[in-house]
Amino acid sequence: MEMRVAAGRWTPLLLLATLLLASNLVSGSHFRYGTISWRPIDTGDAIDAGLDITSVDFDNLARHTVAFEFKAAYRRNYEWGKFFREQWRLPAGPNEENTQPWQDGGSCYTKDSCSVEVPATGSQNYQMFISEEEAIAAGSDIGERSYLEWQIKLAVGRSYYELNVTGPNINNEFSDTRRPCVSPFDTGDKPICLGTDPSGTVNSYPAGYYPVTQIDPTTNRPVPYDATYPNFVNADTVPCEKVDNADPDYCSPWSQTYGFFFGDNDDNGYPTSTDVVLTITDTNFEVTNVGNYLLGTSSFYHTYRKNGVPTKKKEDFTPWTAYFTGGNRLTYTTERLINNHQGRFRLELTVNLNYPGEVIGKQGYVPNNSPVMTALPVLPVPYTGRSEISANGMLATFQVAGFDPDIDIKAYQGSKLESNEKVYYYLGSPRKMGMLLANQVPDMKYPSRWNREDYEAARKECYQRSCAPTGADAAPFVLVGTGTPGKGATRDGSNAIPAGTNLTLGNNFTDLANGFPLFTYEGTCSECANGDRTCTSLRLLVDGFTTETPLNFTCERYKPWDNKLNLAHQPERLYLDRYSGVVQWETGINPRDVDNATYLTDFWNHRDSGDVSNTKYAKRLAAKGTQPSPEQEPLQPGFYNVVFDVRSYSHDPDCHLKVYDAATLGSISPHTGKAFTLPAPGNGGLYTEAQCKAVDDENMIDIAYVSVPLDFLLFLYPPASWCSKSKCRNTQAGITTFRDEGFYGTQNDVNVLSTGSCTICGGGEWNLYDVSAAGLTDKQLNLTDYTVCLQDDDCKYDFDTVAITPAIEADICKRNTPPKWVDQASAGNDDGNTPTPRLADRPTWSTLRVVPSDPTSALASDPFIDGVPIENVYPGLALFLGQRSSEVRFNLTAVDEDDCVEMQILPIGLFRGYTMYNLDTDGVPTASQACSYASSFAGNDGNIGSTCPYNMKLEFIKRIGTTNQFYRTFVWSANNTLPQVQDPRPPNVVVCFIPFDNYQVGIRRCVNIILLSERFLYWIDARAKLTDVFSGTNDAFNTIVEDCNATRIAGSNENRYQNPCHYTPADLTTFYVSPNHTLEFYMTALQDSGNPPIGIYISEGGTMRANGTVGPPEGATFEYLEYDDKSGKTHLRDPAKRRFTWTPKEGQQCKYVLCFIGNNTRELEESIEFTSTFFWTRPFVPIPALLDERCYTIVVADQQLALQAGSFVDAAAALPSLTSDCGMTFSMWFFPEGTTTMPLATFGYTKPGETDNIVYMLEWDPVTAVVFHDGITVQDLGQYYRLKFSTGQSYIIQTDAEFCVNEWHFLTFTIAPNGNFVLYLDGVETTHYSDDDRDFHVVAVETGSMPVVDGKVEIIGDILNNNPGYTGFLRIGSFDAVQTFNGMIGDVRIYSRVLTAEEIGAKQFVPLTATSEVGLEAYYKFNDGSQADNTLGNPQGNFNKYRAQPPASADPDCNLAGDTFCNNDVRDAPEGPFGSEMKAKGQSVTDLSGNNNHAIGCDDANCRKESTMYFVFGPSPITPPCPQETSPDVVHVDGGTPIAISGIGFARSQWLKCSFSMSDGSIKVIKAVHSDNSTIICANPGSPDLTVSALEVTNGGVNFFTNFQIPIYMMERVVSFPETGGKVTIKDACDMIGTNLFSMGAWVYPLSQSSSALEDVISLIGMTSNDQTGLLSVRYDGVRFVVHEKIGNTETALGESPDAPAHNMGEGSGWHYVMLSGNTDRLVLYMDGESTELTATSISLSTCDLELGTTTTGRKAFFGYVEEMSAFSGFLNACDSYQIMWGN
């Protein structure tokens, strides 16, 4: 890397110790960190919030009251009470309300401006919160002072005063500053009315008003005047005042206002506000740049009102905007805040009180909460160049910690990490950063220049003064105390200065008699840009003496106003990913040198990653290995202020239910200055619900989200280095840094432990000098300086003889490294180390937004981000399982690998989970103040102090022996006398910690603590003993039983629950449902342990969603329902009920297996408390519960109508529509099973009092086929069948007898208006296929003419329409008790028009869509069957349920496996589908045409009593088959191998075929052999080359269903080795090859992933020359091939190959070529062409066999395939192996 001095220059710093005492600076330098969150109150908050719980309006008030949680850090040793009306008081006693008196420091100028003044000690009663050491140094003893629980009051006011009304003055004018100004640029000062306008006219303004002159620099327009102010005229004019002054008149300006404002108004129309009482929870006494602070929290309440009426927001599209404001931030000159120095801070958040249950429907979850944020007050960040990595591994990278306590019901899958509502991270806008900066010219010179006009005027004045030409009357000497020039002074200093006076910069000329300075020399210059020039001076009082220090002015430093610099702004080159909170900061390599190195890692622009129209992932700024252009200048060292705007979904329904009028409501965001995202076009001015939920759209309107701030400091510094402890004694102090006085490793107290001193030899410092100054050493420049180490007399290098090289420098002057966690050896194993995230808890690429959005890219599945482990950027959650009513305790262990260590382990708050609340010792929740981390500062016993009785604590830090490992013990106490169900601690919380070595912060570790209960979580499934467990103690369970309308059946111990029970089905239950019918069942679970919510979710078998969760099949829903107990109280999902509903569509016919599980946590599914099943033994003694994942089979199958012995379905309702006007068409699928003549369909009518009259009849007619020769029967060919059509006049047309029974046939006939008749059977082609063709089915098309009367054919509809007394019939199936049909009927279609042959052919194998059919009068699919009307039926819906197994016993308490409603020994469901379960006699058959021409099954009164008719599950040729498995799945390319295909929906069809895709893109179709409805056989057609073929199946010959494809591997012949063991032996192999000179190889296809034992693949086994057993073997360990030798009982590993994944690992084809080649000197393993040199074998076999696989006991069998085995009696090199590998 080239090192060059950067072009930038920074001003030399003044003496820090001197300037920190400047009283006019301290007021602006004490704020460090702040964040605010809010939540709706609960009933426990009511008293604290001041609400009357007996009031009739209590509920309404409570629903509009919020609890604010405020966290902030301030400088500790600041003069508290001197400014801003601050007060403080001592802590209260244990468990007492604080009634201590408030004290102040005199900044309350009136009695009313502070609560109380005690003691009245004037203006010097400041509180400095000094440490014991500081007190002792000052000569006093203040005793124990941790200051924990002390309180500081942060008042509301302006300057030294309250926001108030003053006046009237002599002109009866009032000043009213009770309202903060709306615009940050509004001074609130009325202009004077009198005067001359720009035209010179006196008193020309309108009476009492003056034009607006203040300009908003962000818009360059006049500052808008707030219409709520009195006397408002318009946006262009403001009231004027007769007597002018600079004080605000009508509002309190941002630059002077401080305090907390809620955003609404009181009853008088003035803004509501509150004093914030900050309770100190942490005191840092280290006077360093990252320490020396007070950290505190505050909780307070507010009821939001508008015009006196409680309301949830300000306007329809405007939330309440609350904020805490004050100032100022750190300075630049004295405290080195690079951006926003001396700026105002403004913690701004939005409040929108929505109760999602009101919006979405009762969901049983809490109202909407804001996000919650946390951070260190000051986060140190070392410079990290492009060629370096940070603790996280990616430039200078850190992550913001935040969460939303709300649970996202739709994303909640029972246990997934993302069940909390998502939060989105943005960099705060200038407004949310406070907007205004002091802009002093020069810096540190008051007054502050908040507005552009003031700044430009001051800049002009300073330029004129400091850059005036020599000799001009510019008063270079200023008289101290007067501000006027000295007598006779000129710019060249020729007068008033004694001769010989040394006039150097900042030198004072003093009155020698009095010893006080009289004049200060301001310097001279010819032009300003040449360098620093003195503009004025700063007067300071130091040790009782007044001194003046020059303040410089440089044109380069004080440039013309730029909004990007002169208003609040974020640090340069800082990028934020809005999805994960990951921040990357390109800092440069050090403060001095440019960075022109190439990037070590990819650099991502997270901030610009929210393009919702494209992807929501990060975009890459620069790729690894690229070089920047231009070279990157370094950032300045020091502090940087950063503000984050963190958002979550508001759940506000107005966002998408009310019209947004952009013209009225605005189209520009006041926060970003960018255009709002407006409603989608064509939606009537309404936002879509999706738009309102798109919180990752930065420009969405405010009402769509709630927003909270996080404001803290970054401290950028050169990485620290120190002398090696192993090389030097480290007795000499080195460079002074921001943490230490030249030594590191010297701090030891209860919070920091050290290992011993090291001399600091570089870095860690930010007090840099101008790098251009001459004569400065590296030490002064704070770069690594090994010579510091050489000051030590005992540094172990002889530098007289050894030249110092960079390598030696790095060896003796070592750079600091960040601390790391010491993880548990295995996750969940409490071995005293830090709880560790399990592999399953690590995020995938889909949850980490700093990887490419393309899921197919290599990075997408890589656990590294360009070499950076994912866990470094998004560490995941560690899981700790605790017990309710028991203490939680675990260690947090960290290590720092540096020579010297100063270690801290700090809590950084809750990351995700529930907010902790105050809890009394009796377990009753009281106040809602969030528990703090007060007791993190524990005493020597590790258990001192606690804000909350059940607060979380960290014991003091301890060192492990003499190692560099340290630990702190985390403790969460509990009341162990309480029953577990009464433990008030939240059962699911997340706490986070960091290791900190006082320079660098390690990676955050968050621990998910789950408190488990001893009460099991049960499925509710109608077992009687569940009532014994829960009845009487659980109202919710009793309500379940009552709601179920339990029916007691006569007999002892028979309490059988009948439907409609919402009980959980038994494990392995099978459901059958037909397309367009609805399957519905419920999953219900109960625990009653106090650990809600219970989650129930699909664990296996569903569809994989984009977010990684498993959802129901396509079209299905799985929704939570609620239980209410008798009191009407909603339970938060304990018990839980979730309803599965699915109406499958055509094309989804298949078998699906879904598994369900439930648990009571929101962690991953391994977290133990899952749904269980308990069993009982007589006399009903419970045994332990068993984990119970309920798995169900869902079969989507068509139904057919099965008829026997005289039954039929009458479809007469459709007949009147069949007339001669358009003709008719009739089609039906049928499956004949009888061997006699059988009617198929009979059309006719009955006259009153007469018998049936047949109009048309279709019959299936058997014919015995014989061959005659000269009248003698030569051969009987058996029975064939034909289709006959006859009319009432005995007109007959028939097909040839070429058809068979016991297979499906399709008949169609059409009658045209002119009498033309066409009869089709099994198709529309007019040619027949020959017997030797692959398509063996034949078709018949017969034509004829029907009788025509008066030029018109008479069709059945005409007869019925012309004879009103006639009753028509269309009997499908049997005609009567004699003429019967045996078999099945499928689709029946009736049209009132003539279909063409083309239409008939196109529709033959396709289910109809009624809405697209013309003339379709009736359509029957016969999917009407269900168990509903059977004795053991299922009346919940039109689906069937089947038990898993027969009864296991007759136990009335139901050990009947698979019996859902058991409780007795009577089965409540059959074991599987059977022929007579769904009766069709007397049942309606639905007409799917939409014409309601429903058919009816005959009953015993009108068809033969002995006949049967049932709906049965089974396929027909129009059913899409669903193949699921094949055997084998690897076949030879030569073809001919029978392939058994299993699945469902295989029809016994003459069109049943398989198709195979070929490598050249062609398709081969093979006729299939039908075994049964779940198995068929197809022959492998072969392939010209190796290929993976897609196998598809059709029942209809033409329509293959690509939804269900199975791969078939067509390969050369291989040897298959089963998992149980197999072996191929080549005897006496050593006669051909030997172990001293050999090569043996083969193609190997491993199927196993097991690494528990090595699998023998290729082995030489035999006897050595000294008669010992010898073995040389290539083995597979599930990942790679390894080589072992064994002589006698001694086995040795000789080496291994690179990774060789098995086929089922999803990488590559699975085939690998493996060859082992050896001679007396070498042994080489070739794998896929790569060679690995192994340890040469020492084995020598005299006789041996070559074995593939093994069956030997004690050796693991190879599982997979082997082919092309070859062996050579010679050593082959890599080229030889490669040629043999590819057959060359």
Side-chain angles (χ1 to χ4, degrees), residues 375-421:
L376 291 177
V378 182
L379 180 67
V381 180
Y383 279 92
T384 309
R386 293 186 172 107
S387 61
E388 301 173 294
I389 60 174
S390 65
N392 296 81
M394 300 173 61
L395 296 175
T397 308
F398 58 92
Q399 187 173 23
V400 182
F403 76 100
D404 189 325
D406 300 321
I407 298 173
D408 183 349
I409 289 297
K410 293 188 176 180
Y412 181 67
Q413 298 297 320
S415 69
K416 298 302 178 185
L417 283 172
E418 297 303 321
S419 58
N420 283 88
E421 288 191 341

Side-chain angles (χ1 to χ4, degrees), residues 1198-1203 1209 1385 1421-1426 1440 1442 1474-1486 1497 1509-1514:
D1198 285 337
Q1199 294 181 32
Q1200 316 300 332
L1201 188 66
L1203 307 93
V1209 169
I1385 303 295
K1421 284 188 64 68
F1422 303 104
N1423 280 343
D1424 300 273
S1426 76
N1440 289 12
Y1442 301 100
F1474 58 96
S1476 60
E1477 67 171 324
M1478 298 183 293
K1479 66 178 184 179
K1481 271 194 172 184
Q1483 301 297 311
S1484 176
V1485 176
T1486 303
M1509 183 164 53
Y1510 298 99
F1511 299 106
V1512 295
F1513 289 108

Side-chain angles (χ1 to χ4, degrees), residues 88-90 98-103 116 118:
W88 64 91
R89 66 182 177 185
L90 300 174
N98 197 333
T99 59
Q100 297 280 354
W102 289 104
Q103 303 180 54
V116 70
V118 179

Side-chain angles (χ1 to χ4, degrees), residues 65-105:
T65 301
V66 298
F68 287 94
E69 307 291 344
F70 173 82
K71 299 177 184 177
Y74 290 86
R75 177 177 162 184
R76 173 185 59 85
N77 59 353
Y78 151 74
E79 295 171 307
W80 289 91
K82 187 174 182 179
F83 304 94
F84 308 125
R85 300 173 51 247
E86 298 150 339
Q87 296 177 292
W88 64 91
R89 66 182 177 185
L90 300 174
N95 300 319
E96 293 180 2
E97 182 180 355
N98 197 333
T99 59
Q100 297 280 354
W102 289 104
Q103 303 180 54
D104 68 74

Side-chain angles (χ1 to χ4, degrees), residues 167-244:
N169 60 19
I170 59 175
N171 294 300
N172 202 34
E173 293 176 325
F174 288 83
S175 175
D176 186 354
T177 59
R178 287 176 289 180
R179 291 185 180 87
C181 297
V182 173
S183 169
F185 309 104
D186 193 341
T187 64
D189 181 30
K190 298 178 182 179
I192 189 170
C193 297
L194 301 176
T196 302
D197 72 1
S199 66
T201 304
V202 178
N203 296 329
S204 62
Y205 303 119
Y209 299 97
Y210 193 95
V212 172
T213 57
Q214 296 180 84
I215 302 298
D216 183 338
T218 64
T219 63
N220 287 320
R221 300 185 62 185
V223 173
Y225 194 57
D226 190 350
T228 63
Y229 294 151
N231 304 320
F232 171 74
V233 177
N234 57 52
D236 298 323
T237 61
V238 299
C240 56
E241 59 181 346
K242 296 177 182 179
V243 178
D244 191 23

Side-chain angles (χ1 to χ4, degrees), residues 1264-1275:
T1264 300
V1266 296
V1267 176
F1268 294 95
H1269 182 70
D1270 296 333
I1272 301 173
T1273 299
V1274 176
Q1275 185 178 7

